[in-house]
Amino acid sequence: MKTNELREAYLKFFESKNCVRRPSDVLVPQDDPTVLFTPAGMNQFKNQFLGIGQLDFTRATTCQKCLRTGDIGNVGVTAYHHTFFEMLGNFSFGDYFKREAIHWAWEFLTDSNWLGLKPERLTVTVYLDDEEAAGIWHNEIGLPLDRITREDERENFWPAEAPSKGPDGVCGPCSEIYYHPPGGGKEVEIWNLVFTQFNRVGDPPDNLRPLPKKNIDTGMGLERTAAVLQGVESNYEIDILRPLCENVGEILETSYQFDGKTGRAIRRITDHARACTFAIHEGVSPGSKEESYIIRLLLRRAFLEGYLLGQKQPFVYQVVPAIVDMMSQPYPELKQTLANVQDTIRAEEENFLGTIERGLGKFEKLVEVAKSSNRKSLPGKEVFDLHQTDGFILDLTFSLAADQGLSIDMEGFRAAETKHKTDSGKGISWGVMAAGPLDELQKSQGETKFLAYEGVTSEAVVVGLIQNGETVESVNHVDLPVDVILNQSPFYAESGGQVGDVGVIRSSRGEIEILDTQKHAGLIVHRGRLTSGEVHLNDSVTAEVDAVKRAGIRRAHSATHLLHHALHQVLGEHATQRGSKVEDDHLRFDFSHGAAVSPDELLKIEDIVNERISEGVPVSTNFMDLKDAKKLGAMALFGEKYPDRVRVVEMGDFSRELCGGTHLDNTGQVGLCRIESEENVAAGVRRIVASTGKKAIERIRNQEGLLKEVATQLKTPQFQELPRKVTQLQEELKTLKQQLDQFTKASVAGSVDDMLKNAEQVGDARVICETLQGVDRETLREYADQLRKQSGSVAILLGADIDGKVALLAAVSKDLVKKGVKAGDCIREAAKVVGGGGGGRPDLAEAGGKDTTKIVDALERGKAVYSEMIAKGAS
Ligand code: ATP
Ligand code: MG
């Protein structure tokens, strides 16, 4: 069975069990701080497992894009691990439970209408005391007892070891299904059934309370099951991966074989390239933090694998078209970002090419040191540093070291790694499944009714007050921060790049100033502080958004859509949104584009935006089904999660975007939009900052104000005269400088004569040590030049007080230098006298000092040093 067929069969089978087929969640979740990438199918249903939020179904089935960073080390090594893979799941939220989950899994695997696997090839595990599951497998399915293994909480509980170690919250035993290949190969876990049936409260014993509504969460590996069905020795040999491995083999001019010499490297490159394609498609760029860091790591590792096989140029980007092609049946949207993904990968490869030699250099040094000190292993800390900063992953360093007969001090490595993980805060963790006060509120009160599209004020009732992370009955301490939840609210909570509203919530006995508004699941959370009186639960209040700020936000948001449209017109369709921030009359918009936007293009973009504004086109908003909106060509963001019913914001016939923000009624209301700046933010991503309405006008006024100030200072009231005036001033300045120069030269020439006359004769040479008044360093040098030109053998030391500091300059003619008279040596000694230091070449040296009262002494000292050197040279 082909992989695409298996995916479809699974979803169909569970649809026949009344599970609702849901799309895969995004790979890079924005609203879950506990994970960087989606690690399993259940993540999009976390709230449902906690009993928060409502869905209109209680059974679901999905095929989920997953990425597990914890498995990086396994990739290419085991036959069955990827970083990126797809997980088929079926889920019950307080609906069906263990019996159905087990029976259906068995039916799907063994029934000849579905996968038709031979029952004798399958074994299962259950949790130690899960008699219920063991009973169903043995008595109802008929599995012999010797094919049911009992495992402890480390293996068969979710989260692992939850009963004894926590965290508190939803958890439960699981049951894994293994396939044993014919011919005695190693068995493989293909499916894990998790029975979330407990709420853990505190430490054992008796800390597992049965949940009133029990859940089912199962995950079956798509690639693993495909490998079983296709009878191949690894996941990488299945129909959607083998061709990719072969493609990589061709690019590297070698051929792919599972146990060939380059097999492991090719599998890694293939896996990592696929993972990066999906992540970059969703807007992640390689970088130094969080998701970005993981993608950088994967790309570097893939590139290094190829580099060590002799491929010294970027090549990973070349695999992308084949990946997109292979994955395009389930994920056709990949085609739309193909070029951008390739550009991004290529740029990162080029970037790494710059440090790869350094990394290899560091590695070679480590080897050298180890060998010369007769050690058998490389130090763990340094190996981790190579892994961390140069993209030299442990396994790689491992195999490189093995070639040299060396191992790695793993204890040191692990210690460095653990330290890094703690320092950077975020390892891969399976978020804590415990509900906070907001979750409790949502459970008891339901969602906040959302009125932001209707206006800026409304009557409401206080249904929740949270202070210091706890629900309180009332607030009466002025100035303490408080979160307020209302039954309904006109406040817009920050989302889709638009900032949260500010304003005030007022009751008959008190007032709370709202400084920000955030969303928590279905709740609108007003964050503020009490400014007077007191506010109690169940108080009737008036919620009032700051209408002036809201108007500015609407202008900026509608202008953002106009900007997006103009970017497409001027730069092309690839210039799609990568990020945005909409504030009061101010906007920031990030978009895909490979090069800087030229000043000409920027003008064109600004012109188009302002034309659309002056056309005064109506803005309309409609709710429709996501698939209808997409059919209409509404612009949606990859990597953004949309509900089934979406809001579409349209402007005339030129702009149609999925957007939940607050907009104007007519583009004319923007008034004016000015682009302030354009810059680079990440590889292939540019940023435009612009202002609208009041702020755009303020900005122009400020600039005009500056011009006025300059004009007044230059006594040129007509602005258009300013450039001419500035040119004229610059020319005057130039002439003056030239005159000054000539003047200095002339005056230097005059005093040079005097100095030569006053010079002291030491043997065949002249020594000139003089203090000069009212000179700068440039003039000092001029003196030294003239003196050397006009005198034969000469040693010079000049001193001056320049801006309250001592300046010394020493110069020696060439013939004296040959005799060992050094300007640098002289000045070092002289500088000591004035509490300073300096040095330079034998023929010219400069120094500074602090004590201006000692300049004469310094010159005396210098003269003595010169005389000594000249005497030595003569002897
Ligand atoms: P393993 O012990 O083999 O790493 P797991 O216990 O981590 O698997 P689960 O977290 O239970 O796996 O995930 C459910 C299913 O997803 C597994 O039974 C397997 O089929 C699949 N799966 C898990 N991790 C990977 C991976 N890195 N690559 C491919 N498939 C995977
Ligand atoms: Mg695992």
Side-chain angles (χ1 to χ4, degrees):
M1 187 184 274
K2 295 259 192 283
T3 307
N4 284 342
E5 291 163 359
L6 167 60
R7 192 189 293 106
E8 187 55 31
Y10 183 97
L11 296 169
K12 271 232 173 72
F13 175 83
F14 282 98
E15 276 182 318
S16 80
K17 306 296 182 194
N18 294 325
C19 292
V20 176
R21 184 196 292 220
R22 301 293 302 163
S24 170
D25 192 9
V26 290
L27 183 62
V28 191
Q30 305 295 317
D31 50 2
D32 185 348
T34 63
V35 294
L36 297 179
F37 297 96
T38 301
M42 60 78 63
N43 276 63
Q44 68 167 308
F45 301 116
K46 265 190 184 175
N47 278 345
Q48 282 67 47
F49 284 127
L50 286 169
I52 307 167
Q54 309 132 322
L55 291 176
D56 41 18
F57 48 83
T58 51
R59 303 176 172 196
T61 181
T62 62
C63 177
Q64 175 65 45
K65 302 181 271 188
C66 298
L67 200 158
R68 290 193 176 180
T69 49
D71 281 332
I72 289 177
N74 289 328
V75 172
V77 181
T78 76
Y80 298 115
H81 283 96
H82 310 281
T83 54
F84 174 87
F85 67 100
E86 291 174 85
M87 191 186 286
L88 295 160
N90 65 281
F91 309 92
S92 156
F93 318 117
D95 190 330
Y96 64 85
F97 197 51
K98 241 174 249 189
R99 167 161 294 115
E100 293 87 339
I102 291 176
H103 276 271
W104 293 345
W106 191 255
E107 181 186 347
F108 180 66
L109 290 172
T110 58
D111 189 295
S112 58
N113 290 318
W114 300 98
L115 302 193
L117 294 176
K118 290 211 175 71
E120 60 271 23
R121 301 246 146 262
L122 299 169
T123 61
V124 304
T125 64
V126 296
Y127 176 56
L128 285 183
D129 9 302
D130 191 354
E131 296 308 335
E132 190 186 358
I136 296 170
W137 282 119
H138 181 56
N139 302 325
E140 300 180 19
I141 302 292
L143 264 190
L145 284 177
D146 64 355
R147 305 242 305 279
I148 304 171
T149 314
R150 301 211 180 208
E151 303 259 22
D152 63 12
E153 63 172 34
R154 255 179 307 179
E155 295 297 331
N156 270 8
F157 215 87
W158 185 90
E161 299 184 271
S164 60
K165 300 203 169 134
D168 276 356
V170 176
C171 61
C174 46
S175 176
E176 298 163 333
I177 304 174
Y178 284 82
Y179 177 79
H180 299 252
K186 190 173 162 24
E187 80 274 14
V188 50
E189 176 195 330
I190 52 174
W191 201 340
N192 191 1
L193 317 178
V194 184
F195 315 122
T196 37
Q197 64 190 91
F198 296 122
N199 185 23
R200 180 194 197 267
V201 187
D203 289 331
D206 302 327
N207 58 341
L208 301 182
R209 314 274 159 81
L211 283 172
K213 286 181 158 190
K214 299 179 181 24
N215 306 307
I216 288 294
D217 150 28
T218 86
M220 170 166 127
L222 174 75
E223 295 84 352
R224 288 190 189 181
T225 312
V228 164
L229 293 171
Q230 294 171 23
V232 290
E233 65 251 75
S234 96
N235 283 16
Y236 292 85
E237 320 312 310
I238 65 174
D239 59 331
I240 63 164
L241 281 167
R242 170 99 199 176
L244 295 178
C245 291
E246 284 169 359
N247 183 237
V248 171
E250 272 163 39
I251 293 168
L252 295 178
E253 293 174 3
T254 152
S255 74
Y256 173 68
Q257 259 140 31
F258 175 66
D259 40 18
K261 236 175 50 202
T262 55
R264 184 180 283 195
I266 290 179
R267 285 195 290 280
R268 277 192 187 139
I269 294 168
T270 305
D271 171 84
H272 295 356
R274 197 166 75 124
C276 291
T277 299
F278 273 86
I280 297 170
H281 166 77
E282 286 195 10
V284 179
S285 306
S288 59
K289 277 213 259 342
E290 303 179 345
E291 300 86 4
S292 300
Y293 174 72
I294 301 294
I295 293 312
R296 163 161 292 166
L297 194 67
L298 291 176
L299 273 180
R300 292 194 164 188
R301 187 180 153 145
F303 181 68
L304 190 54
E305 293 282 0
Y307 190 89
L308 293 173
L309 293 178
Q311 175 56 257
K312 303 280 151 101
Q313 290 303 315
F315 71 96
V316 180
Y317 77 97
Q318 292 177 37
V319 197
V320 179
I323 293 171
V324 169
D325 194 37
M326 217 29 102
M327 302 304 296
S328 70
Q329 197 211 27
Y331 308 105
E333 64 277 11
L334 286 175
K335 288 186 198 151
Q336 292 175 50
T337 51
L338 171 65
N340 177 49
V341 170
Q342 275 198 296
D343 288 350
T344 307
I345 292 183
R346 188 187 185 141
E348 178 63 16
E349 289 186 89
E350 269 157 11
N351 177 358
F352 184 42
L353 201 52
T355 67
I356 202 165
E357 284 299 333
R358 185 186 67 195
L360 283 171
K362 276 194 202 171
F363 171 77
E364 275 153 20
K365 250 194 218 117
L366 290 182
V367 172
E368 222 177 272
V369 171
K371 283 192 172 166
S372 66
S373 54
N374 268 331
R375 267 189 274 113
K376 284 268 153 251
S377 66
L378 301 181
K381 193 167 160 293
E382 272 77 6
V383 172
F384 181 73
D385 178 63
L386 259 177
H387 159 100
Q388 178 63 20
T389 38
D390 303 288
F392 277 53
I393 327 300
L394 175 65
D395 291 305
L396 255 168
T397 311
F398 223 107
S399 59
L400 292 177
D403 291 344
Q404 308 283 337
L406 292 167
S407 66
I408 285 165
D409 149 35
M410 284 311 296
E411 222 167 275
F413 183 92
R414 294 287 172 224
E417 184 182 49
T418 310
K419 181 165 183 316
H420 169 76
K421 272 192 185 148
T422 343
D423 289 353
S424 61
K426 266 192 182 172
I428 150 156
S429 75
W430 279 85
V432 181
M433 288 278 279
L438 283 170
D439 301 317
E440 296 301 337
L441 260 173
Q442 161 131 17
K443 259 196 235 175
S444 61
Q445 303 292 334
E447 306 194 341
T448 314
K449 192 167 173 214
F450 175 71
L451 304 173
Y453 298 148
E454 268 101 276
V456 288
T457 59
S458 101
E459 300 305 311
V461 176
V462 177
V463 299
L465 290 167
I466 296 177
Q467 213 154 32
N468 291 323
E470 281 173 27
T471 321
V472 293
E473 287 291 317
S474 65
V475 286
N476 47 25
H477 284 285
V478 168
D479 271 354
L480 281 192
V482 57
D483 288 352
V484 187
I485 319 297
L486 305 174
N487 64 332
Q488 55 177 15
S489 172
F491 281 71
Y492 184 89
E494 174 164 355
S495 70
Q498 180 175 326
V499 292
D501 278 328
V502 298
V504 56
I505 293 175
R506 242 183 232 114
S507 79
S508 56
R509 48 181 162 174
E511 193 172 293
I512 297 174
E513 182 189 8
I514 301 306
L515 305 164
D516 186 19
T517 309
Q518 294 288 331
K519 212 165 15 188
H520 183 92
L523 296 179
I524 296 174
V525 184
H526 309 79
R527 327 204 81 164
R529 51 182 201 103
L530 188 71
T531 43
S532 70
E534 49 195 64
V535 173
H536 292 247
L537 269 185
N538 300 321
D539 276 0
S540 292
V541 293
T542 311
E544 220 177 288
V545 175
D546 181 328
V548 175
K549 288 233 165 77
R550 167 70 79 75
I553 293 170
R554 289 169 73 201
R555 285 193 287 270
H557 206 152
S558 291
T560 302
H561 288 210
L562 293 176
L563 178 67
H564 200 181
H565 151 72
L567 287 169
H568 277 204
Q569 298 268 295
V570 176
L571 304 178
E573 295 293 319
H574 66 274
T576 48
Q577 175 170 347
R578 295 290 293 275
S580 114
K581 175 115 195 178
V582 176
E583 292 168 283
D584 173 17
D585 267 334
H586 196 256
L587 65 98
R588 198 179 77 195
F589 191 74
D590 298 346
F591 55 97
S592 305
H593 190 55
V597 184
S598 72
D600 261 3
E601 288 169 327
L602 278 179
L603 284 183
K604 264 192 215 146
I605 291 164
E606 198 180 70
D607 281 347
I608 293 179
V609 171
N610 285 296
E611 269 163 36
R612 296 292 172 258
I613 292 171
S614 60
E615 281 162 17
V617 180
V619 179
S620 65
T621 52
N622 291 299
F623 281 92
M624 56 179 89
D625 282 347
L626 180 60
K627 47 183 191 311
D628 295 333
K630 286 200 168 152
K631 253 186 236 145
L632 281 175
M635 270 194 262
L637 302 183
F638 299 116
E640 181 89 18
K641 207 168 181 164
Y642 293 104
D644 296 341
R645 291 284 289 175
V646 291
R647 184 163 173 267
V648 179
V649 176
E650 288 184 74
M651 300 179 182
D653 57 359
F654 56 82
S655 166
R656 194 177 274 138
E657 296 201 30
L658 299 187
C659 177
T662 54
H663 282 270
L664 302 167
D665 305 317
N666 187 294
T667 59
Q669 293 166 312
V670 177
L672 177 67
C673 179
R674 290 280 341 245
I675 293 178
E676 294 178 9
S677 64
E678 191 273 343
E679 63 183 349
N680 179 48
V681 276
V685 184
R686 310 292 305 180
R687 166 172 298 170
I688 281 183
V689 173
S691 49
T692 56
K694 262 195 338 218
K695 290 227 171 94
I697 292 174
E698 263 165 32
R699 207 177 133 77
I700 294 174
R701 278 209 193 119
N702 283 342
Q703 285 166 342
E704 205 180 44
L706 285 176
L707 268 182
K708 263 197 195 130
E709 208 178 304
V710 174
T712 312
Q713 281 175 12
L714 297 183
K715 302 200 174 54
T716 312
Q718 299 293 330
F719 287 178
Q720 59 270 40
E721 291 292 307
L722 278 175
R724 202 187 48 76
K725 180 76 185 180
V726 171
T727 315
Q728 183 197 327
L729 284 174
Q730 279 169 337
E731 267 161 19
E732 269 175 41
L733 198 63
K734 203 166 135 199
T735 320
L736 282 173
K737 267 199 185 134
Q738 281 165 353
Q739 284 171 357
L740 183 67
D741 227 34
Q742 280 161 8
F743 176 77
T744 313
K745 278 197 180 127
S747 78
V748 168
S751 20
V752 158
D753 287 343
D754 291 344
M755 285 180 176
L756 288 172
K757 267 180 227 145
N758 295 341
E760 196 165 312
Q761 197 73 32
V762 179
D764 294 338
R766 275 176 172 154
V767 175
I768 299 172
C769 293
E770 293 259 7
T771 317
L772 296 168
Q773 311 292 336
V775 292
D776 57 10
R777 284 195 170 268
E778 190 53 41
T779 319
L780 278 184
R781 279 177 219 126
E782 183 65 33
Y783 270 105
D785 280 353
Q786 294 289 342
L787 286 168
R788 273 193 294 187
K789 254 184 225 155
Q790 297 184 31
S791 176
S793 292
V794 66
I796 306 154
L797 179 62
L798 303 174
D801 173 342
I802 299 177
D803 300 331
K805 286 198 185 108
V806 180
L808 295 173
L809 185 139
V812 174
S813 60
K814 289 236 165 71
D815 61 314
L816 284 186
V817 171
K818 275 188 200 137
K819 289 184 186 156
V821 182
K822 292 196 184 107
D825 290 357
C826 166
I827 210 159
R828 208 169 300 120
E829 287 302 310
K832 275 185 202 158
V833 180
V834 287
R841 308 190 311 248
D843 63 329
L844 189 74
E846 290 189 62
K850 288 177 224 124
D851 193 350
T852 51
T853 63
K854 297 248 171 72
I855 296 183
V856 178
D857 300 341
L859 294 179
E860 278 307 316
R861 176 78 189 113
K863 192 186 278 179
V865 176
Y866 272 147
S867 305
E868 219 172 281
M869 288 193 283
I870 293 169
K872 250 194 210 153
S875 62

